[in-house]
Amino acid sequence: MSLAILDARQWQQVVDLQSGRPTESDAPATEMVKGLLDRHPFPGDRDRGSNAWVTDTALDLIDRYAPGFAFLSYSQQYYSCRYSPLSPEERREHVAGAFAEAARFAAASGMTTVLVGTGELVPAKTPIDLENLDGLAVTSNWCAHYAGLYDLSARDYDALRHHPSLSRIVSKQDILDLFGGGPADGARLPEYMAVAATGGYFKGTSLRRLLMIPEPSTVIPVSANLGPVASLTDIRAQILSRLAAGERMALALVEGVGCAEFGVPATSCANGLDWFRYEPGDAQFLAISTGQHPIFQHNGGYRYYLDDDEHKPYPFSGYFTELPPDTIGEAYSGRSIAVGNRSMFMHVCTGCDVTCECFARNLYNQGLMAVIHRQDKME
Amino acid sequence: MECGFCERRCRLGPEGYGYCRMYRAGETGVEERFPDRWCATAVSRVETVPFYHAWPGARCLIIGTAGCNFECRYCSNAEVVKVDPAGLTDIMLELSPKALVDKARKHGCHAIVFSVNEPTVSLPSLEQVAREARAVGMPMGCLTNGYATVEATERLAKVFSFVNVSLKGLSPEFCQEFLGVPDAGPILRNIAALARKVHVEVTTPVIEGTNDHELDAMAAFLADIRRDIPWHVFRLLPEYKMQREDYPSIEAISARIEDCGRRLDYVYFHNFIGSRWVNTHCPSCGTVVIERHSLGCGGDKLDTFHCHGDLCPSCGARIALCGSHMAWNIKEATA
Ligand code: SF4
């Protein structure tokens, strides 16, 4: 049973991760993780101390658990650039701050730390309104460029084909063909997907004004200490082979940073296939973590709310109704940890034994959540 | 010309607009500056608003506009409501009342719920939406600060069949310093008036050391109206002008509300992850009749509905409910 420890500051609750129901655990691992959360309250997504929180928490956890592998995400600069009006100089400072934290982690942990930038941000220029279709457009706060389209009328289809801010409309079959899927793989794909041109973004579900959006980038940077990789789906195999050779490794995602701003020597790798490029988000995390393209399960524009019924398993895991298999933490037999300030991504996307993440939603800071997937490795 | 929508009763000059910046003096009277403009049209659970006793489990289209008639120091939606709405029009959605109701139907929603900001500042648009919603049998609900005038409150009660009023504090000092209004009198008056006409739940965002000492008096006030008004004590997140304040202590507040449970049938304490105070207990026998998860600001969700209709499955006592338990996945409408 995977345990979740919820921490709302000076108040903790242990629940069964799958059912969400309170449970008792006096295992040493639970006490260790409770103490960890208590010592490191989360300062907030856009707070300047947010990336330092990642480093401090990860180092504390390494001291107590001695993992061979650590998966980190540094996301403060991503949230700040998306939603805070920053001057170019301030933006550079935020990005530099993330690299400084990653360097501090690498030096203090002694782990070979591989950095991956999740892609450039560009100004959000053109809001695209798909509200007045005869059919249905499904958009989300955190996915600027892709919208799912359902039940389009001929009038809708015509209007979308000629829309000046869309770069293309692709059918479910186009997506299946591109990613090599069979008909059974299309259950969660939209009937059509609208793809925004650069600078365009779909008006989502929040009125909070977007200031920058993902580019999204054809290629993303990977620090040169990993050696060359052709695609983001190749990173996992390289890390696993170095771990198998006995090297202590860390993989740190530096969010919202592309090749142009990457703070350490880097190579670049493909960030998708053909027209499809990952935005920073769960699908990109999963592509890196599983070495597979997860687009049939996790794509922009699927109707997540259809799954969100009573008894939905994993109520604290966002719209995930099961934890994705074959993640990098699962594939590694040694001890592993994940710490990140990108919401619930760490426990759903990394599969590490112990994960610690902020429980922030739409930038509202509710506290922290830790998940213990593997107690057995602590005995 | 005086605006009669809320108790601020702003004077609207020929060029100007009122405190909320959502109304102006038109040729025929007070008119909306941004009719049919919406934000945050999101599909969500009715429990997130929160409503725990109205259409449990219902999937709703959550809507909002911009602007507000309050100046709460802890506003969690300040980026929407504290800026000039004129500067937001490019990112607001323009949807006719019919298109909005169609959107709700297409997403398989049972209800439309106004949240995010204050419905009083967009009342004429909401009346148009209500007309369309009524035509397809779709109920509407809202979260409001309750500072409407008597007349506007009557109009709100015609639009919304379930209302959650935010009772933020009682003392004039608190109202002036934290809300920017003289006193809570109109809010108390309107809670009582609304409770006579529609389903009412009440939410109190609690700030430790500021309004927590008033919790017992609030519970007494509500119990005087009806002891079955569901009351949500909300742990306030330090936001906006209170960003640097401490987080309220869960232990201390939960101890305070224990007493309030003797006055009221349904007292909840949430807005933080994993709250243990989100289940509904039968007021007669104490059985857990509705189970929920508290996901904090990500919204609460129904887990298990044990009632038989609106009756306790154990002792048969009536549980106060507006509307019935709704299955989440009614089919999305395609036409
Ligand atoms: S609704 Fe707006 S304009 Fe009217 S009185 Fe209230 S604050 Fe003033």
Side-chain angles (χ1 to χ4, degrees):
Chain A
M1 177 173 75
S2 296
L3 291 179
I5 298 154
L6 310 170
D7 183 301
R9 288 205 193 202
Q10 292 142 20
W11 190 84
Q12 296 181 332
Q13 179 86 308
V14 182
V15 300
D16 168 356
L17 181 68
Q18 182 161 8
S19 71
R21 290 178 187 265
T23 187
E24 298 294 324
S25 167
D26 55 6
T30 314
E31 289 309 309
M32 183 268 281
V33 173
K34 280 178 156 183
L36 180 85
L37 299 183
D38 201 39
R39 285 190 296 280
H40 302 282
F42 185 60
D45 288 325
R46 286 189 284 184
D47 190 283
R48 290 300 288 258
S50 183
N51 284 336
W53 173 86
V54 175
T55 304
D56 292 339
T57 309
L59 291 174
D60 193 342
L61 188 50
I62 286 169
D63 274 351
R64 278 149 226 279
Y65 186 53
F69 173 62
F71 195 139
L72 311 177
S73 78
Y74 289 102
S75 306
Q76 179 270 335
Q77 69 288 343
Y78 171 69
Y79 289 120
S80 292
C81 294
R82 269 183 87 113
Y83 290 109
S84 307
L86 301 178
S87 66
E89 182 53 33
E90 287 171 319
R91 183 180 144 69
R92 271 193 293 277
E93 273 175 31
H94 281 259
V95 171
F99 282 96
E101 282 304 323
R104 182 164 73 91
F105 171 82
S109 69
M111 289 176 145
T112 304
T113 303
V114 175
L115 305 185
V116 178
T118 62
E120 212 78 60
L121 295 175
V122 293
K125 278 204 187 116
T126 320
I128 304 169
D129 189 344
L130 297 183
E131 291 300 318
N132 285 296
L133 298 175
D134 298 327
L136 185 64
V138 176
T139 58
S140 116
N141 265 357
W142 296 104
C143 175
H145 287 96
Y146 302 110
L149 303 170
Y150 301 85
D151 297 317
L152 296 182
S153 67
R155 183 186 77 100
D156 290 341
Y157 197 73
D158 196 48
L160 292 167
R161 279 276 177 224
H162 299 103
H163 198 295
S165 301
L166 298 183
S167 67
R168 66 184 71 225
I169 304 291
V170 289
S171 67
K172 179 187 286 198
Q173 192 59 49
D174 293 336
I175 302 169
L176 288 169
D177 291 345
L178 180 62
F179 288 94
D185 293 318
R188 279 191 169 192
L189 289 174
E191 290 163 15
Y192 288 91
M193 190 183 266
V195 184
T198 299
Y201 64 95
F202 296 108
K203 287 184 183 179
T205 55
S206 162
L207 194 60
R208 208 191 285 274
R209 182 179 283 283
L210 262 176
L211 298 169
M212 298 195 84
I213 51 173
E215 193 175 358
S217 314
T218 316
V219 291
I220 53 172
V222 182
S223 57
N225 59 349
L226 187 64
V229 287
S231 160
L232 80 170
T233 51
D234 299 335
I235 295 168
R236 167 191 151 109
Q238 292 290 337
I239 301 259
L240 285 174
S241 76
R242 302 264 287 266
L243 286 167
E247 197 170 344
R248 292 169 66 238
M249 298 288 292
L251 172 59
L253 304 193
V254 187
E255 293 242 69
V257 181
C259 295
E261 291 179 297
F262 209 58
V264 298
T267 58
S268 59
C269 68
N271 182 40
L273 286 178
D274 192 35
W275 57 267
F276 181 84
R277 291 103 188 247
Y278 288 99
E279 288 189 18
D282 46 10
Q284 191 185 41
F285 269 65
L286 283 171
I288 293 168
S289 177
T290 63
Q292 304 286 329
H293 294 290
I295 189 162
F296 302 133
Q297 285 301 311
H298 299 283
N299 55 77
Y302 97 88
R303 290 170 293 177
Y304 60 93
Y305 52 84
L306 293 180
D307 300 329
D308 195 16
D309 55 6
E310 286 165 45
H311 312 301
K312 179 187 102 60
Y314 301 105
F316 295 102
S317 306
Y319 54 74
F320 289 78
T321 53
E322 56 188 21
L323 295 192
D326 303 323
T327 40
I328 190 166
E330 276 182 4
Y332 172 56
S333 58
R335 288 183 170 192
S336 59
I337 63 158
V339 178
N341 49 4
R342 186 68 197 278
S343 198
M344 87 280 287
F345 285 9
M346 305 321 280
H347 88 267
V348 297
C349 297
T350 71
C352 290
D353 306 346
V354 183
T355 67
C356 185
E357 63 202 25
C358 60
F359 200 91
R361 297 287 181 272
N362 289 327
L363 310 186
Y364 296 115
N365 181 11
Q366 287 277 324
L368 292 166
M369 179 161 121
V371 169
I372 304 172
H373 281 310
R374 298 288 299 264
Q375 302 198 40
D376 54 316
K377 290 195 204 169
M378 290 181 211
E379 284 150 10
Chain B
M1 186 183 300
E2 184 182 273
C3 172
F5 282 105
C6 89
E7 287 291 0
R8 282 190 183 275
R9 297 185 183 273
C10 302
R11 304 245 20 123
L12 308 176
E15 297 300 321
Y17 39 77
Y19 182 88
C20 66
R21 301 193 264 206
M22 293 294 278
Y23 293 113
R24 69 173 163 226
E27 280 172 14
T28 54
V30 178
E31 61 185 37
E32 284 181 284
R33 294 175 70 204
F34 312 101
D36 299 330
R37 296 287 183 114
W38 307 97
C39 71
T41 58
V43 176
S44 192
R45 301 170 287 264
V46 75
E47 284 80 8
T48 66
V49 176
F51 283 103
Y52 280 7
H53 289 247
W55 307 100
R59 187 196 293 170
C60 301
L61 188 70
I62 305 285
I63 59 170
T65 54
C68 189
N69 56 346
F70 268 23
E71 175 55 46
C72 301
R73 287 175 62 98
Y74 49 76
C75 180
S76 55
N77 290 328
E79 287 179 58
V80 179
V81 303
K82 300 297 175 208
V83 297
D84 186 351
L88 295 173
T89 50
D90 63 327
I91 55 170
M92 290 181 88
L93 306 163
E94 194 163 1
L95 280 162
S96 69
K98 182 168 182 328
L100 194 62
V101 173
D102 277 351
K103 182 179 165 84
R105 289 179 61 241
K106 281 191 276 187
H107 279 91
C109 293
H110 311 99
I112 294 176
V113 177
F114 188 99
S115 172
V116 181
N117 62 320
E118 172 52 39
T120 312
V121 306
S122 300
L123 192 45
S125 281
L126 286 162
E127 287 175 326
Q128 299 298 321
V129 176
R131 196 162 300 145
E132 294 291 337
R134 250 193 309 275
V136 297
M138 183 175 284
M140 286 177 65
C142 76
L143 183 60
T144 172
N145 61 32
Y147 203 63
T149 58
V150 170
E151 306 76 53
T153 301
E154 297 236 329
R155 288 169 69 173
L156 283 168
K158 289 192 177 116
V159 170
F160 300 108
S161 54
F162 52 109
V163 175
N164 188 322
V165 188
S166 188
L167 176 58
K168 299 169 200 282
L170 294 175
S171 75
E173 296 73 33
F174 174 87
C175 293
Q176 285 153 25
E177 191 181 340
F178 286 86
L179 314 179
V181 296
D183 64 79
I187 303 164
L188 303 180
R189 175 196 72 208
N190 293 340
I191 291 173
L194 286 165
R196 284 192 293 273
K197 299 192 163 160
V198 298
H199 171 78
V200 167
E201 302 192 18
V202 170
T203 294
T204 297
V206 67
I207 315 164
E208 208 181 353
T210 302
N211 65 348
D212 52 341
H213 65 283
E214 295 188 321
L215 289 172
D216 204 48
M218 290 185 203
F221 164 78
L222 296 176
D224 261 359
I225 302 173
R226 300 168 62 128
R227 64 171 290 131
D228 64 357
I229 290 179
W231 189 33
H232 304 263
V233 177
F234 241 48
R235 183 199 192 214
L236 197 87
L237 293 177
E239 297 275 356
Y240 191 42
K241 293 180 181 166
M242 296 181 68
Q243 236 169 38
R244 298 285 151 208
E245 304 283 325
D246 281 344
Y247 283 66
S249 156
I250 290 168
E251 299 285 359
I253 295 164
S254 67
R256 274 190 183 274
I257 61 167
E258 212 148 278
D259 279 349
C260 303
R262 283 188 262 283
R263 296 180 184 274
L264 291 166
D265 289 344
Y266 310 106
V267 179
Y268 305 102
F269 177 34
H270 54 116
N271 200 38
F272 54 94
I273 41 170
S275 167
R276 289 198 300 252
W277 296 271
V278 290
N279 292 338
T280 299
H281 296 258
C282 170
S284 288
C285 72
T287 300
V288 175
V289 293
I290 307 176
E291 290 182 85
R292 304 178 186 87
H293 293 293
S294 174
L295 305 184
C297 53
D300 295 349
K301 82 185 288 289
L302 185 66
D303 180 52
T304 312
F305 184 83
H306 297 289
C307 298
H308 297 150
D310 62 354
L311 303 180
C312 169
S314 180
C315 72
R318 195 181 159 271
I319 307 299
L321 288 178
C322 160
S324 51
H325 172 222
M326 302 302 296
W328 179 258
N329 276 329
I330 61 165
K331 225 179 139 20
E332 292 171 292
T334 52

